[in-house]
């Protein structure tokens, strides 16, 4: 049992590190684009595709993909076992539901990255947000479902901004005062930037539902591009990109300092009754 808990904890820590690498790439490339030094304002798949183009890119991408798979598994365990103790109240269930969605998204991203590293399937691909929005709009009550998804994303973005303001993530850290002096600002900047991107993504989903136009829906890359198109867009993009880079650094720090309490494995000790 102890070995199983230790293995799951190590997998979770590798997962946080892999997520951090993805955000470092997204934030760093977007920041370079904002200041006119190359780069690009894209999402997670764009960043991983850029990683694939580097020396030994296939190996690097495979390692990151394995970490993302571990993070997806940890999110699933968090959601089902309530490892972080969120409880079964409305707020707790909402957080655990968000973990389920995060698990599914990271499983999908990991699978895509593994295929890309092995040269299987297409390395191009369209906007995933537009693809699933198009499918959802074609279903009964589709616009209402898309609007509900958009509102949920907006609420999640607002929660991240609150987390940035209150530094509520502090209670999940296991570190001393010295580490907190740089961890807390990193986390605040990171959650604030993620909150802004979530607000944009959610608003665009609501717009897609209102107009019945799936092309209005955007993912992370689309949210960053939307920022760039605003007045003083380069400055807005640079600010948010720096925050996403900070979130990547914070996620890597979480791999070392986050409090992770895997659930105890349960064995079925009931004996089978014989006839």
């Amino acid at each position: 049992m102890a070995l199983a808990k230790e293995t799951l904890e190590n997998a979770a820590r590798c997962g946080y590190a892999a997520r951090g690498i993805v955000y470092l790439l997204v934030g760093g490339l977007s920041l370079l684009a904002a200041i006119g030094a190359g780069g690009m304002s894209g999402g997670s798949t764009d960043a991983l595709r850029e990683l694939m183009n580097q020396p030994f890119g296939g190996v690097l991408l495979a390692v990151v993909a394995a970490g993302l798979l571990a993070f997806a598994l940890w999110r699933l365990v968090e959601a089902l076992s309530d490892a972080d103790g969120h409880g079964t109240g409305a707020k707790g269930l909402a957080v655990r539901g968000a973990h389920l969605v995060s698990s599914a998204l990271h499983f999908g991203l990991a699978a895509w990255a593994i295929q890309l590293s092995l040269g299987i399937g297409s390395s191009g691909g369209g906007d995933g947000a537009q693809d699933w929005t198009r499918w959802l709009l074609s279903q009964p009550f589709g616009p209402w479902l898309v609007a509900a998804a958009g509102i949920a994303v907006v609420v999640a973005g607002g929660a991240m901004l609150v987390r940035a303001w209150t530094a509520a993530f502090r209670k999940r850290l296991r570190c001393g005062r010295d580490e907190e002096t740089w961890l807390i600002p990193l986390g605040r900047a990171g959650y604030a930037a993620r909150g802004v991107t979530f607000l944009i993504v959610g608003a665009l989903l609501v717009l897609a539902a209102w107009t019945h136009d799936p092309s209005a829906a955007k993912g992370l890359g689309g949210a960053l591009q939307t920022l760039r198109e605003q007045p003083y867009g380069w400055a807005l993009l640079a600010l948010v990109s720096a925050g996403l880079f900070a979130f990547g650094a914070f996620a890597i720090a979480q791999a070392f300092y986050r409090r992770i309490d895997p659930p105890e494995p349960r064995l079925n000790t009931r004996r089978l009754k014989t006839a």
Side-chain angles (χ1 to χ4, degrees):
M1 289 187 184
L3 180 59
K5 285 190 65 174
E6 183 180 356
T7 300
L8 185 55
E9 179 179 346
N10 290 335
R13 297 194 185 281
C14 290
Y16 277 106
R19 185 170 74 153
I21 291 172
V22 173
Y23 272 95
L24 285 178
L25 289 170
V26 171
L29 290 170
S30 187
L31 181 58
L32 290 174
I35 63 177
M40 61 178 179
S41 51
S44 301
T45 55
D46 298 304
L48 292 179
R49 193 180 294 112
E50 186 66 21
L51 179 62
M52 180 67 178
N53 293 332
Q54 306 308 308
F56 305 103
V59 175
L60 294 173
L61 186 59
V63 171
V64 173
L68 292 173
L69 198 60
F71 186 75
L73 175 62
W74 171 243
R75 277 296 195 230
L76 181 62
V77 170
E78 277 188 303
L80 298 181
S81 69
D82 194 19
D84 282 338
H86 292 292
T88 56
K91 182 179 178 181
L93 290 177
V95 173
R96 292 167 69 181
H99 285 340
L100 275 179
V101 173
S102 176
S103 174
L105 292 176
H106 282 89
F107 269 125
L109 183 60
W112 179 89
I114 291 171
Q115 289 182 332
L116 183 60
S117 68
L118 296 176
I120 302 174
S122 171
S123 63
D127 191 314
Q130 292 181 8
D131 292 339
W132 73 258
T133 300
R134 181 177 295 106
W135 175 83
L136 204 55
L137 284 173
S138 67
Q139 306 305 308
F141 305 103
W144 292 99
L145 295 174
V146 173
I151 292 171
V153 174
V154 167
V155 171
M160 289 179 192
L161 292 176
V162 171
R163 189 175 302 176
W165 178 260
T166 62
F169 52 83
R170 188 199 312 256
K171 64 183 179 181
R172 303 291 179 195
L173 299 176
R174 183 182 287 126
C175 62
R177 292 285 182 86
D178 291 340
E179 290 82 8
E180 281 191 353
T181 58
W182 56 271
L183 271 173
I184 302 303
L186 271 182
R188 277 184 156 148
Y191 278 110
R194 286 193 78 208
V196 169
T197 59
F198 269 57
L199 290 178
I200 295 173
V201 169
L204 292 175
L205 280 173
V206 173
L207 178 62
W210 180 264
T211 61
H212 294 241
D213 180 10
S215 66
K218 307 289 183 184
L220 175 58
L224 294 175
Q225 188 59 40
T226 299
L227 279 173
R228 191 174 190 176
E229 294 168 355
Q230 306 309 307
Y232 300 100
W234 70 270
L236 294 173
L237 180 61
L239 188 61
V240 172
S241 299
L244 293 176
F245 189 88
F247 185 79
F250 178 72
I252 291 176
Q254 282 181 301
F256 298 95
Y257 296 111
R258 193 186 194 279
R259 180 176 284 105
I260 296 176
D261 299 309
E264 290 282 355
R266 294 181 180 179
L267 296 178
N268 189 352
T269 57
R270 290 182 299 178
R271 297 179 180 178
L272 295 176
K273 293 182 179 181
T274 56

